[in-house]
Amino acid sequence: MRFACLVAILIAAVPASAQELGLPADCTPGKDCFVQQFMDMQEGGGIADPFCGNAAYDGHEGTDLRVLSMADVERGVPVVAMADGTVLRGRDGEPDHLVVTDQDRAAVADKECGNGMVVDHGGGLEVQYCHMRRGSLVVAPGDTVNRGQKLGEIGASGMAAFPHVHVTVRRDGTVVEPMTGRRPGQGCLKEPGQAAPLFAADVAAALGGGRPQLLAMGLAGEPLDHAALPVSGPPPAATAASPNLVGWGWLINLRAGDRIRLVVTGPDGATFAETMTERMDRPKAAYSSFAGKRGAPAPGRYDLKVEVWGNAGAILRKSGSFTVE
Ligand SMILES: [Zn+2]
């Protein structure tokens, strides 16, 4: 009996971080949403994501869960509460506009978070949700919310170069990195096994470790326009009437030295087009590559392979089949 009581007391004394945070959006990581950037764990200059990689940018204090493009924003992807809580404060009314130029950046100075809110998730945990879609907020200060409840939608308000929800997690007023449970001053973690995530284990596993990821791939009828990807998303699929046939891949979080290999195999089984990029001269937050040929393609089934090659060989391989008709 005394033992049972002791166990009960110990459980009660576990800090509130034992509440397991869920995803901040209603989406499937690796399928229709992706971590573009984690928190920067390196103080001063330089970058280190929570696992000592480069999936961060200097001074970044949160986790960015992105969708592919503004087309997804228009479709409407819910931002949801990561845990039960109470809405403390919020802002709406800022436009959704991808920041590209210095002028864009100046326009959102002091409003970097854009439309968003701060939710008190209890036990000293607060989460700030940012870059939500204008007019999408469906809860107000004072409202209580349940884990998974819709707060609004993913947008591109404030300082957003791609559509995403940014979350900053604070425990007792101090920023904490939710994949590892570490504060920025504690630096990154080379051994992921030592992480004490605030995220539920399945969520942390699904978000990955900042390794290169494929956002999308396909066959298009025109050379790929990299700048158009976050605006309008993947290009239209090639048809037998297209002026070209181009296999393409859109990737994030490449490291310096990585190379991208693309292989398109035609309906006859022969290699239709193939390319291997030079080694990346520096980390690339987002990158796209394509390989193809001029002229209307023969109809039929084409296979596309997209690979990321590091110094020690292929570190990511994806393949798919596409019918041109
Ligand atoms: Zn961010």
Side-chain angles (χ1 to χ4, degrees):
M1 197 60 201
R2 286 182 65 191
F3 177 73
C5 279
L6 183 62
V7 169
I9 290 164
L10 283 174
I11 289 170
V14 169
S17 61
Q19 63 172 305
E20 297 183 336
L21 296 179
L23 274 183
D26 184 7
C27 61
T28 305
K31 185 165 172 250
D32 55 0
C33 59
F34 303 82
V35 174
Q36 175 73 71
Q37 275 132 2
F38 288 110
M39 186 180 292
D40 177 20
M41 303 302 286
Q42 187 154 321
E43 293 203 310
I47 294 165
D49 71 29
F51 304 109
C52 305
N54 58 257
Y57 65 86
D58 196 15
H60 190 225
E61 283 206 328
T63 306
D64 292 345
L65 188 66
R66 76 170 291 163
V67 289
L68 295 188
S69 77
M70 296 305 285
D72 300 292
V73 171
E74 274 165 42
R75 172 168 62 88
V77 180
V79 170
V80 302
M82 294 165 75
D84 296 348
T86 306
V87 180
L88 296 180
R89 55 189 180 274
R91 174 170 61 201
D92 201 344
E94 299 299 321
D96 295 288
H97 178 76
L98 296 179
V99 166
V100 178
T101 66
D102 286 342
Q103 194 180 357
D104 295 336
R105 269 179 279 278
V108 296
D110 303 324
K111 291 181 284 192
E112 284 87 352
C113 181
N115 306 316
M117 65 182 70
V118 177
V119 179
D120 179 353
H121 288 304
L125 266 193
E126 282 184 13
V127 175
Q128 182 177 15
Y129 301 79
C130 293
H131 313 307
M132 290 163 73
R133 185 184 188 186
R134 178 159 65 181
S136 75
L137 277 65
V138 291
V139 294
D143 288 354
T144 58
V145 294
N146 297 319
R147 188 183 197 261
Q149 182 178 333
K150 182 177 175 180
L151 306 177
E153 291 175 6
I154 290 181
S157 57
M159 188 76 84
F162 49 90
H164 67 288
V165 57
H166 162 118
V167 290
T168 296
V169 179
R170 291 186 174 85
R171 186 161 54 200
D172 301 325
T174 303
V175 172
V176 57
E177 198 293 303
M179 292 292 287
T180 57
R182 292 161 79 89
R183 298 185 305 278
Q186 292 179 288
C188 63
L189 204 55
K190 286 206 170 68
E191 292 295 332
Q194 294 171 0
L198 278 67
F199 283 120
D202 60 329
V203 173
L207 293 178
R211 307 264 294 165
Q213 294 190 76
L214 181 77
L215 294 188
M217 63 193 283
L219 295 182
E222 301 281 358
L224 202 61
D225 177 358
H226 183 72
L229 290 172
V231 179
S232 47
T239 71
S242 295
N244 313 280
L245 184 66
V246 170
W248 58 270
W250 181 16
L251 300 122
I252 58 171
N253 293 328
L254 302 179
R255 294 88 53 90
D258 285 349
R259 289 177 295 170
I260 310 304
R261 180 166 180 255
L262 287 178
V263 183
V264 182
T265 306
D268 58 359
T271 299
F272 176 83
E274 181 172 12
T275 185
M276 178 78 122
T277 65
E278 297 289 308
R279 293 178 191 279
M280 301 293 143
D281 56 346
R282 57 192 168 80
K284 304 281 185 186
Y287 190 85
S288 63
S289 183
F290 61 89
K293 276 186 191 170
R294 291 181 200 279
R301 203 185 87 156
Y302 291 75
D303 293 320
L304 172 62
K305 273 196 268 187
V306 180
E307 300 170 349
V308 179
W309 285 69
N311 289 329
I315 52 178
L316 183 151
R317 291 178 195 267
K318 297 279 183 180
S319 57
S321 292
F322 304 88
T323 301
V324 172
E325 50 193 6

